[in-house]
Amino acid sequence: MSETTNNTASVMTLARDNVQQLTPYLSARRLGGSGDVWLNANEYPLPPSFALTSQNLNRYPECQPVEVIRRYAAYAGVQPEQVLVCRGADESIELLIRAFCEPGKDAILYCPPTYGMYSVSAETFGVEGRTVMAKADWQLDLPAIEQALDGVKLVYVCSPNNPTGNLINPDDIRSLLETTRGKAIVAVDEAYIEFCPQATVAGWLQDYPHLAILRTLSKAFALAGLRCGFTLANVELIDVLMKVIAPYPLSTPVADIAAQALSDQGLALMRARVAEISENRLWLQQQLQQTACVEQVFTSESNYLLARFSAASAVFKTLWDQGIILRDQNKQPGLSGCLRITIGTRQECQRVVDALRPLPGANSSISETVSASKEPM
Ligand SMILES: *Cc1c(COP(=O)(O)O)cnc(C)c1O
């Protein structure tokens, strides 16, 4: 037993210093739980159905499968040369760091509260992750960002932002792009853009050689298990990423299914999902606003809602015990008391409401809470 421990310890000491210090990203899946209502990873609640169309697994796949690239470019309104496909938007985040940041010298910059993988990827490569807190309204603090840009090669902007759900003001993204011109890459993470397609900055590529846009099939396309994402950028930037990408980033079945998801029929299904989820989100938002234990529900342009609760940990635990798994954001800077709820089916949203209604609010007695639960649905 002690021998095993010693061996493990000695292997750990062989690892790079920054890897020894690394805390791996606590994904919703790693956090576990034994629920039957999974509302913690911003997935689509129901599985789409696909069949493989080709039987050629003896051959290596194309590095950049032509049909997937062609269809995604048409969908996104860009040229095929402006599209890179890879193993999810998480790999796009990583490719940018590997291609543009010198470990121990360069930095990335991001604005909490936001998506957790920017910092995890930077740490993995020994690159400094510099933070400039978002303002109280969760918009970019442009003067503070400008002050902090020294040594920064890459700025991540998440819009709609995960976990807050708000869009970043487009004028601010433009200002940031002007400030960083010739100095740093701006990566706009549009993982949820299908829920607010008018807000994309894909049309700005012609103006900014240092703009990269991250996309994914994991959210509105209901394919989180497929692991397929995209980077949109001008050819010069795509060529840099092509230098560091794996020779076969996508397996043949992934490319096969991705192409189907991007067919006319696939896009129509995606848009129907977005309409359904957006409707459920509005419904849940209204319900939460009439629920005693909810202090505030934030407006969202995505497939999740962030809400502040009077007793967030107790609420999280109560729902957990009923098999309803939410994402606790309480530890994120600026988000004390906040939980993030993925929008599921209407039934799942109803389960959340039913579980929350009996819980007391900060200033309400039990009897007030009971009367709140009798409000018309
Ligand atoms: C889910 C998510 C991703 C990761 O997408 P994958 O394609 O599944 O790797 C990236 N960015 C944000 C903001 C996300 O919420």
Side-chain angles (χ1 to χ4, degrees), residues 62 64-85 230-232 250 255 258-264 267:
E62 295 171 276
Q64 291 290 295
V66 173
E67 196 56 20
V68 174
I69 294 285
R70 193 184 65 76
R71 289 185 184 181
Y72 200 84
Y75 159 68
V78 300
Q79 296 303 309
E81 311 85 71
Q82 295 175 310
V83 179
L84 183 91
V85 61
F230 300 86
T231 308
L232 311 180
L250 256 58
Q260 295 176 52
L262 294 165
S263 67
D264 289 343
L267 293 176

Side-chain angles (χ1 to χ4, degrees), residues 58-131:
N58 57 317
R59 300 295 177 194
Y60 280 108
E62 295 171 276
C63 176
Q64 291 290 295
V66 173
E67 196 56 20
V68 174
I69 294 285
R70 193 184 65 76
R71 289 185 184 181
Y72 200 84
Y75 159 68
V78 300
Q79 296 303 309
E81 311 85 71
Q82 295 175 310
V83 179
L84 183 91
V85 61
C86 64
R87 185 185 14 86
D90 281 349
E91 191 183 26
S92 303
I93 292 168
E94 199 181 288
L95 287 175
L96 285 163
I97 295 176
R98 274 163 53 200
F100 288 98
C101 298
E102 198 78 63
K105 177 167 164 261
D106 298 331
I108 67 154
L109 188 149
Y110 59 95
C111 301
T114 192
Y115 186 53
M117 281 306 289
Y118 313 133
S119 64
V120 169
S121 285
E123 278 173 44
T124 306
F125 294 109
V127 167
E128 180 196 341
R130 199 172 296 168
T131 56

Side-chain angles (χ1 to χ4, degrees), residues 143-313:
I145 291 174
E146 203 167 340
Q147 291 288 307
L149 279 179
D150 202 32
V152 169
K153 280 287 197 67
L154 190 50
V155 181
Y156 288 99
V157 175
C158 190
S159 182
N161 187 43
N162 180 1
T164 54
N166 61 292
L167 284 169
I168 302 301
N169 185 347
D171 293 339
D172 292 350
I173 300 180
R174 262 204 201 274
S175 297
L176 180 65
L177 282 160
E178 294 301 339
T179 313
T180 51
R181 201 188 275 278
K183 296 181 201 145
I185 306 298
V186 174
V188 179
D189 188 337
E190 294 190 342
Y192 301 94
I193 202 65
E194 283 77 14
F195 297 94
C196 49
Q198 77 293 344
T200 181
V201 296
W204 300 6
L205 283 179
Q206 61 211 43
D207 302 331
Y208 301 107
H210 57 306
L211 169 62
I213 300 163
L214 312 187
R215 298 285 192 86
T216 179
L217 298 187
S218 296
K219 310 290 163 52
F221 284 89
L223 290 169
L226 190 66
R227 312 308 303 131
C228 185
F230 300 86
T231 308
L232 311 180
N234 285 296
V235 177
E236 194 188 354
L237 202 161
I238 297 285
D239 284 347
V240 174
L241 298 181
M242 281 299 289
K243 288 177 176 235
V244 298
I245 201 168
Y248 309 108
L250 256 58
S251 72
T252 302
V254 169
D256 187 345
I257 291 168
Q260 295 176 52
L262 294 165
S263 67
D264 289 343
Q265 193 200 1
L267 293 176
L269 282 168
M270 178 276 285
R271 292 190 174 109
R273 270 183 228 116
V274 166
E276 175 213 352
I277 293 293
S278 302
E279 196 180 308
N280 286 350
R281 184 187 71 222
L282 287 175
W283 181 85
L284 182 61
Q285 181 168 4
Q286 287 166 2
Q287 299 299 312
L288 293 179
Q289 277 159 352
Q290 303 162 21
T291 300
C293 65
V294 179
E295 281 180 358
Q296 195 175 2
V297 190
F298 298 98
T299 306
S300 170
E301 304 283 344
S302 61
N303 67 342
Y304 50 87
L305 279 172
L306 187 76
R308 183 166 271 133
F309 293 82
S310 36
S313 304

